[in-house]
Amino acid sequence: MESIILFGTLTVLMLIGTPIAFCLGVAALMTVLYMGLPPLVIFQRLNSGMSVFTLLAIPFFIYAGDLMVRGGIAQRIVSFAGSMIGHLRGGLGQVNIAASTLFGGISGSAVAEAAAVGGLMIPQMKDRGYGADYAVNVTSMAALIALLLPPSHNMIIYSIAGGGRISIADLFTAGIIPGLMFAGALMITAYFVARKRGYPVDAFPGFRQVLHLGAVAIPGLLLIAIIFGGVRSGVFTATESSCIAVLYAILVTVTVYRSMGWRQFVDATLGAVRTTAMVLLIIGTAAGFSWLMAYLRIPAQLVDWLQSVSDNPIVILLLLNLILLLLGTFMDMGPMIIITTPIFLPVALAYGIDPVHFGVIMILNLGIGLNTPPVGAVQFVACAVGKISVWQAMRSIWPFYFAGLAVLGLVTYVPAFSLWLPALFRGG
Amino acid sequence: MIETEPGPGRPRLAKAGKVLSAMSTAALWLAGAGLVLMTIIVGWQVFTRYVLNWSNAWTEPAALLLMSWFIFLGAAVGIRENYHLGFDVLLYVVPRKAKLVLRAISDVVVVGFAIGMIVYGMELTVLGWNARMPSIGIPDGVKYLPLVGGGVLIVLFSVERFVLRLAGVSVDKGIDLEEIPSEDAVREA
C-alpha cells in the first residue's frame, strides 16, 4: 500500500505537469503521512541530500560551460576543428562532431553544447547548402558526446545517486572510450548521409592555418588537461577541479581572449543559476524519495522479482536498457538518473555488473533519450537553433539513432570498453 | 519573464506583480552572487590547501550553506519564470480549459509542499539552534533557514501564478504556444 501511494502520487502529479522536484517531494510527503511517520523527516532528508560537498561540482561545471560559451572559448574550438577536418566529405557535419568532442571534454553539458556548437555550426551549414534537418540532427546527436566525456556532471549525479561510493575518477575515465566510439559512429553516419545527399567538399586550408587555429584554441583546450588530470591523479576532488575550471574559464576569457565583458559574465552566472538550482532541488527532494524507497525495501523486492524472471545478466541488461530507453524519452536525464539509480543499481549489482560499467550504460542510454520527443531537451534546443520543427528533424534522424543504439549495444555487452581504461589508470 | 501585465482594469494586480517581479529579480541576483561567492570560497580552499599548505575547516560548511540558499532562491525564481523541469506531454494533448485546471492543481500542490518547507524548516531551525556547527561556530539550525526563505518565495510566486491565471492572463507559456520552447530552452543553455 505504501508503495502504491508513493508511486501513484508520483505518477499522477507527473502526468498533470507538476515540476518534477515537487512531484518527488509531495509523493514522499503523502507516503510519510499515510505511514504515520513525522513529515519533518522528509524535509530533513531534503536538506541533508543537498548538503553534500561533491554536489558543488554540478553548479561549477555548468557555470564553467556557460562561461566558455559566452566568453568565446567554444568558437575557437569550432574554428580549430573546422581547419582540421573541414575538407572531408560532409565537412561541416564532421567539424560539428569533432568540435562537440573537444568541447565536450571541457563542458560536460549536452544542452550547453547543442546551443554553443549548434549556434555556430547550424547557420553556417545551412548557408553552405546542407539541409537544416541534417545540420540539426548532427548537432543534437553530437552534443551527447559531452555526456560521456569528463567532466560529465551527470556522472557526478550518478555517483551521488548511487550512494556516493562509486569513484567519480573511475566514471570519468570509463566514459572516454565509449564517448570516442560514439563520436566515430556519428562521423561514419554523417559521412554516408552526406555522400548520399551530395553535400560539398571543401579545400584543405593548409597546415599553417591548422597550427595557427590550434594555437589560438590551446588555452581553452588546456582545461581538459586540468580537469581530467586533476581528478584522475587524485590531487583535486571533483569539486575542487570544477571550481578551478570556473576560475580558469574566467581568467582565459577575460585576459587572453578578452571577449568576456560584464554583460556576458552576468548572463553566464544567471544562466548557471537557473539551470542548476532546478537540478539540485530535484536531487534534494529525490533524497527523501529514495530514502523512503529503501525504507520500504522496494529495490530489494525488485531484485528478488527479477531474479525469479531470469538469472541471465544479458537478458537483464537488455531489459534494463529497454526500460531506460522508454522512460528516457519521457523524462529529462538528471531526474531520471536520480530516480532510477537507487532502483536499478542494486539489480545490476545483483547480476554482477560493475557499477562503473552500469553508469556508462545508463548515461549513454538516457542521453539518447535527450534526443527523442516528447521530452528531449537537446533536440528542442537544436531544433530551435535550426528553426525547424521536431517532426522535420525526426524524419531523417533514423541513421543517427541507429548509430547511437549500435554503440549502446557494444558498450552494454562489452564491459571492457568501459572498464579497461579505468583499470589501466589504477594499475599504473 | 512571464507575462505579468494583467491589463489596465486591474491596477492592484499590476502593482503586486511589480513588487513580486522586483523580489524575483533580487532573488536571482542574490543566487548569482552566491554562486560567485561559492567559487571564491572553494577557490580559496584550493589555494590555501595546495599552495600555502594549510587547510581551512570553514570553507566546506560555508560553501554548503551558500549552496542551500542558492538552490532555494533559484528554485523559487524558477517557479515565477516557469523553467522547472516537468513532464508536459499530457498538457500538449488535452483541451485548453483542462490544461488551465491541471496547471492550477499543480500550483496548489507546489504551495502545499512550500508550506511544508516553511513549517518544518522553522521546526528544524529551532531544534538545531542550540547545537553549533563544528567548524564555523554558528548555530546548526541556520542551515534550515534557506528552506524557510525559499518556501516563502515559492508560496508567493505560486499564488501569483494562480491568481493571474484566474484573471485570464497567460502564465503557462511554452505549452499554450508551440511545440518548440525555443527561447527559454536556449536561455537555459
Side-chain angles (χ1 to χ4, degrees):
Chain A
M1 187 61 204
E2 289 88 353
S3 330
I4 296 172
I5 294 180
L6 188 65
F7 286 101
T9 315
L10 180 72
T11 313
V12 170
L13 289 180
M14 286 216 326
L15 280 176
I16 69 167
T18 308
I20 290 172
F22 295 92
C23 297
L24 289 163
V26 172
L29 200 55
M30 296 296 256
T31 314
V32 160
L33 286 173
Y34 171 81
M35 293 164 70
L37 296 170
L40 190 82
V41 73
I42 293 302
F43 295 94
Q44 200 171 16
R45 291 275 155 186
L46 164 63
N47 226 58
S48 62
M50 289 186 328
S51 303
V52 180
F53 194 63
T54 316
L55 266 185
L56 273 161
I58 296 170
F60 284 154
F61 276 135
I62 291 177
Y63 190 24
D66 272 352
L67 287 166
M68 285 185 274
V69 171
R70 289 182 221 254
I73 292 181
Q75 281 102 303
R76 285 166 179 84
I77 289 176
V78 171
S79 313
F80 173 51
S83 71
M84 276 194 301
I85 52 166
H87 59 286
L88 297 178
R89 170 76 64 180
L92 290 181
Q94 308 292 357
V95 172
N96 194 326
I97 296 166
S100 296
T101 310
L102 291 175
F103 187 59
I106 55 178
S107 149
S109 160
V111 176
E113 183 162 318
V117 179
L120 295 165
M121 294 299 300
I122 293 177
Q124 259 190 70
M125 290 174 80
K126 278 165 61 175
D127 284 349
R128 299 290 307 277
Y130 291 81
D133 58 333
Y134 178 77
V136 164
N137 288 334
V138 169
T139 301
S140 61
M141 288 304 282
L144 307 182
I145 299 168
L147 302 168
L148 291 164
L149 296 181
S152 163
H153 66 262
N154 286 297
M155 292 202 170
I156 298 171
I157 297 180
Y158 172 75
S159 165
I160 291 168
R165 283 186 304 274
I166 308 165
S167 153
I168 292 174
D170 280 353
L171 282 168
F172 275 8
T173 321
I176 293 177
I177 292 178
L180 296 178
M181 283 164 61
F182 191 68
L186 289 180
M187 282 184 147
I188 295 168
T189 315
Y191 171 86
F192 281 109
V193 176
R195 202 170 72 167
K196 197 169 150 232
R197 292 190 177 189
Y199 287 151
V201 179
D202 292 322
F204 183 62
F207 280 109
R208 185 179 284 262
Q209 181 72 357
V210 174
L211 282 178
H212 170 70
L213 290 172
V216 171
I218 277 181
L221 293 175
L222 262 183
L223 255 182
I224 301 179
I226 295 175
I227 292 168
F228 184 67
V231 177
R232 183 69 260 182
S233 63
V235 172
F236 301 122
T237 63
T239 306
E240 288 171 344
S241 66
S242 66
C243 177
I244 294 171
V246 172
L247 294 171
Y248 184 82
I250 294 175
L251 185 78
V252 167
T253 52
V254 171
T255 65
V256 181
Y257 294 156
R258 294 167 191 266
S259 42
M260 173 69 68
W262 175 246
R263 191 66 245 162
Q264 285 87 347
F265 178 73
V266 168
D267 280 352
T269 308
L270 299 185
V273 168
R274 290 187 169 101
T275 317
T276 50
M278 187 168 72
V279 173
L280 293 173
L281 184 69
I282 296 172
I283 292 181
T285 52
F289 190 88
S290 353
W291 171 79
L292 256 182
M293 279 200 302
Y295 185 86
L296 298 170
R297 298 195 68 255
I298 292 168
Q301 284 167 9
L302 182 72
V303 171
D304 288 347
W305 180 75
L306 279 173
Q307 275 176 335
S308 70
V309 174
S310 167
D311 55 4
N312 187 342
I314 295 175
V315 177
I316 291 299
L317 276 173
L318 182 68
L319 202 64
L320 291 181
N321 261 316
L322 290 176
I323 298 173
L324 286 172
L325 275 174
L326 183 72
L327 292 175
T329 62
F330 290 107
M331 241 166 105
D332 237 33
M333 187 157 187
M336 272 297 291
I337 298 175
I338 299 162
I339 299 170
T340 56
T341 302
I343 307 179
F344 289 164
L345 183 61
V347 175
L349 292 177
Y351 284 85
I353 298 155
D354 189 277
V356 171
H357 178 209
F358 186 66
V360 176
I361 298 174
M362 187 169 205
I363 287 183
L364 177 54
N365 183 314
L366 296 177
I368 296 172
L370 284 178
N371 224 341
T372 55
V375 180
V378 171
Q379 192 171 40
F380 289 169
V381 171
C383 286
V385 174
K387 300 194 176 63
I388 60 172
S389 78
V390 171
W391 291 116
Q392 279 168 298
M394 285 300 285
R395 269 201 285 268
S396 60
I397 203 172
W398 305 107
F400 296 99
Y401 277 163
F402 179 77
L405 291 175
V407 175
L408 178 61
L410 283 172
V411 168
T412 303
Y413 289 115
V414 186
F417 287 135
S418 314
L419 299 177
W420 175 72
L421 205 54
L424 191 74
F425 269 98
R426 271 197 311 263
Chain B
M1 267 143 256
I2 55 168
E3 191 61 54
T4 48
E5 290 298 320
R10 302 173 182 277
R12 215 182 296 164
L13 267 184
K15 207 169 174 186
K18 272 203 186 111
V19 174
L20 289 172
S21 179
M23 285 172 73
S24 162
T25 309
L28 183 64
W29 280 76
L30 273 176
L35 178 58
V36 173
L37 204 54
M38 265 156 56
T39 313
I40 295 172
I41 290 175
V42 178
W44 176 247
Q45 168 179 325
V46 174
F47 179 74
T48 53
R49 197 159 114 196
Y50 297 100
V51 182
L52 306 181
N53 221 1
W54 41 274
S55 62
N56 294 301
W58 62 271
T59 49
E60 284 201 15
L64 286 175
L65 203 54
L66 272 172
M67 183 162 70
S68 282
W69 275 108
F70 154 88
I71 295 170
F72 284 116
L73 290 176
V77 175
I79 295 286
R80 190 158 200 279
E81 295 187 2
N82 202 11
Y83 58 68
H84 275 277
L85 289 172
F87 176 91
D88 294 335
V89 183
L90 188 66
L91 296 174
Y92 286 114
V93 296
V94 297
R96 195 187 137 74
K97 267 264 172 61
K99 212 170 342 197
L100 292 179
V101 173
L102 291 182
R103 280 283 160 185
I105 296 174
S106 267
D107 283 344
V108 173
V109 170
V110 169
V111 167
F113 192 74
I115 289 173
M117 283 165 61
I118 300 171
V119 172
Y120 294 105
M122 290 207 296
E123 199 176 326
L124 285 163
T125 308
V126 173
L127 283 174
W129 202 259
N130 291 322
R132 301 274 134 178
M133 277 192 220
S135 41
I136 42 179
I138 56 174
D140 194 52
V142 167
K143 69 181 186 205
Y144 296 105
L145 284 176
L147 209 56
V148 182
V152 170
L153 285 179
I154 292 174
V155 169
L156 287 175
F157 294 152
S158 300
V159 168
E160 182 195 19
R161 290 170 59 76
F162 191 86
V163 172
L164 284 177
R165 193 181 294 103
L166 271 186
V169 181
S170 165
V171 285
D172 306 309
K173 62 146 177 67
I175 291 164
D176 285 343
L177 303 176
E178 80 274 88
E179 191 180 358
I180 309 164
S182 53
E183 262 184 4
D184 54 318
V186 174
R187 180 171 49 69
E188 269 167 35

